[in-house]
Amino acid sequence: EKNGYDHFMLKEIYEQPDAITDTYRGRMLVDKGIIRMAGVDNNLEKFLNAKRIIIVACGTSWHAGLVAEYIFEDLARIPVEVEYASEFRYRNPVIYRDDIVIAISQSGETADTMAAIKLAKEKGAFVFGVCNVVGSSISRETHAGAYTHAGPEIGVASTKAFTTQITVLSLMALKMAKEKGSISKSDFHLYLRELELIPEKIEKALQSNEHILEVSKKYKDASNFLYLGRGFNFPVALEGALKLKEISYIHAEGYPAAEMKHGPIALIDEMMPVVVIATRKGHYEKVISNIQEIKSRQGKIIGIVTEGDVEVRELADYVIEVPDTVEPFTPLLTTIPLQLLSYHIALMLGKNVDQPRNLAKSVTVE
Ligand code: M6R
């Protein structure tokens, strides 16, 4: 049941610290510097010899795949392609026997993802599943896999499934990186320690709830929203926009911040709230210039920033802080305020946040 929360979605947002702890418990032995994942350990040769990873998924799970692309390439130095299952299955894709196909699905029942898996198997690829629902069709159809252990997700808008998927995929990337020697021992240990701290940092990020409620009041009547992010946080921009669309029915688009000037900048005026993920990492200075471009066109800026940030605060209409962490794990924190923002806006507009119109929890039609 809802455990005192008004909606399943809110409950599931608040469950994320525990859910992520459940995801890495028993798999990540921080003091020993070991990652144990049966599905990977039992197929280690395949993982180490693979020339490429192809990720197939839909919706929010596809966004988790995009975050994973950045993490795998950065840490494990293996090329990754991320495909919508529905496109992949219908376009006669090139799949080699030494490809690893990773299928991501909360429900484990998504029809297009299932069809993509069958196709990959026919072509001789090794297929690995990242599912939440234990014993689901996809978990049975794949050669091996790792469960997210997020517990049941009832809200149609996916929240804890997303962050636990990123956690499983991060563990896999770290394990491969260690085995391949593509990151130093000290970085490996640093990442393990940082991943272990994510649940308490999410706890901290959740404390901005009241402030996010204020921001939501201010922009709930907008007809459009733009979400911008770069690098690891570009997929978070896509996910933030999807979350708002599906439960508030406000049109929203996610974009890589630097692409804005190639088109979407034309949309910006004083009516357009722009959510910019601007953590103090890799592309920070670049994102600041993107924010200036929005500001000079009177767009309203909601910045998702690292605790203690001053530069974005000076330019933005509102900032929402998240704790600092290593760059690959920032999506686990920057996602949290975006979930809460869409939740509050949808609620203020009187929408059914747990069961939005036209949507089902698992999409078993093709
Ligand atoms: O169960 P799956 O992860 O395969 O579902 C994929 C999508 O249908 C799902 O993520 C959908 O986009 C959510 N409603 C997003 O919140």
Side-chain angles (χ1 to χ4, degrees):
E1 259 311 296
K2 289 186 207 141
N3 214 359
Y5 289 96
D6 290 340
H7 300 94
F8 283 110
M9 183 183 177
L10 192 63
K11 168 176 175 263
E12 289 157 7
I13 290 173
Y14 274 84
E15 274 172 354
Q16 290 175 108
D18 287 345
I20 289 176
T21 308
D22 289 342
T23 304
Y24 67 53
R25 178 181 292 129
R27 288 173 166 159
M28 184 170 78
L29 311 178
V30 180
D31 295 337
K32 295 199 177 122
I34 293 175
I35 293 174
R36 274 197 317 224
M37 301 176 88
V40 180
D41 293 330
N42 299 338
N43 299 285
L44 200 55
E45 285 304 305
K46 287 202 174 67
F47 274 93
L48 298 182
N49 294 329
K51 303 233 170 16
R52 175 172 76 151
I53 292 175
I54 302 174
I55 297 180
V56 293
C58 304
T60 289
S61 297
W62 182 75
H63 295 154
L66 284 178
V67 174
E69 173 180 20
Y70 284 83
I71 300 179
F72 271 107
E73 293 202 347
D74 186 40
L75 301 181
R77 308 302 300 150
I78 178 164
V80 179
E81 284 171 35
V82 190
E83 306 256 5
Y84 281 121
S86 55
E87 285 300 313
F88 178 80
R89 60 175 292 203
Y90 288 120
R91 70 167 167 72
N92 193 17
V94 178
I95 307 171
Y96 300 111
R97 299 186 72 85
D98 54 4
D99 280 339
I100 290 189
V101 173
I102 301 181
I104 311 175
S105 175
Q106 186 286 130
S107 62
E109 303 297 341
T110 301
D112 282 319
T113 310
M114 186 56 143
I117 292 168
K118 290 191 172 146
L119 178 67
K121 280 172 76 179
E122 270 166 37
K123 304 237 182 194
F126 173 72
V127 186
F128 190 92
V130 176
C131 295
N132 190 41
V133 177
V134 176
S136 54
S137 307
I138 290 176
S139 68
R140 284 183 279 119
E141 188 69 29
T142 40
H143 294 116
Y147 286 115
T148 44
H149 297 305
E153 190 182 65
I154 311 292
V156 165
S158 191
T159 52
K160 62 177 179 172
F162 179 66
T163 45
T164 55
Q165 286 163 346
I166 296 174
T167 304
V168 163
L169 293 156
S170 299
L171 288 169
M172 291 172 66
L174 280 169
K175 172 138 191 120
M176 281 180 75
K178 185 190 181 208
E179 298 291 339
K180 291 175 73 172
S182 54
I183 59 172
S184 69
K185 269 198 160 151
S186 61
D187 277 351
F188 179 74
H189 284 273
L190 170 77
Y191 284 123
L192 286 194
R193 280 196 302 274
E194 282 295 329
L195 194 54
E196 189 180 33
L197 290 174
I198 290 295
E200 61 191 70
K201 291 184 178 179
I202 292 183
E203 243 12 299
K204 195 116 191 269
L206 288 166
Q207 289 168 10
S208 295
N209 188 40
E210 287 302 311
H211 175 52
I212 297 170
L213 189 78
E214 291 310 308
V215 180
S216 308
K217 272 188 200 145
K218 185 84 188 168
Y219 298 112
K220 68 175 185 5
D221 297 314
S223 329
N224 299 286
F225 265 76
L226 202 55
Y227 285 74
L228 303 176
R230 293 177 90 115
F232 294 92
N233 283 291
F234 154 54
V236 176
L238 298 181
E239 173 60 8
L242 174 63
K243 221 83 300 176
L244 188 70
K245 280 185 268 212
E246 80 178 317
I247 61 171
S248 74
Y249 318 146
I250 296 174
H251 170 246
E253 275 192 71
Y255 249 90
E259 272 293 305
M260 190 182 61
K261 56 184 171 299
H262 299 286
I265 198 163
L267 293 166
I268 294 177
D269 61 16
E270 70 287 353
M271 307 294 281
M272 177 71 94
V274 186
V275 179
V276 188
I277 304 156
T279 47
R280 215 169 29 240
K281 291 288 159 197
H283 309 288
Y284 183 64
E285 294 304 329
K286 297 273 178 197
V287 177
I288 302 259
S289 7
N290 299 138
I291 291 177
Q292 271 151 348
E293 290 160 6
I294 303 163
K295 210 173 157 61
S296 60
R297 289 162 184 84
Q298 279 77 51
K300 301 286 176 272
I301 295 149
I302 305 160
I304 311 298
V305 301
T306 309
E307 250 167 22
D309 181 276
V310 281
E311 278 187 67
V312 179
R313 189 177 288 271
E314 272 179 20
L315 297 168
D317 295 271
Y318 288 93
V319 293
I320 304 169
E321 294 191 334
V322 294
D324 197 12
T325 184
V326 290
E327 197 176 4
F329 302 152
T330 51
L332 292 167
L333 303 178
T334 52
T335 299
I336 308 297
L338 305 191
Q339 296 170 341
L340 288 168
L341 186 71
S342 62
Y343 171 79
H344 289 303
I345 291 179
L347 202 62
M348 284 171 194
L349 297 176
K351 309 300 181 206
N352 184 341
V353 292
D354 282 339
Q355 280 181 297
R357 69 185 182 200
N358 308 341
L359 287 168
K361 183 64 186 162
S362 68
V363 183
T364 50
V365 292
E366 306 194 342

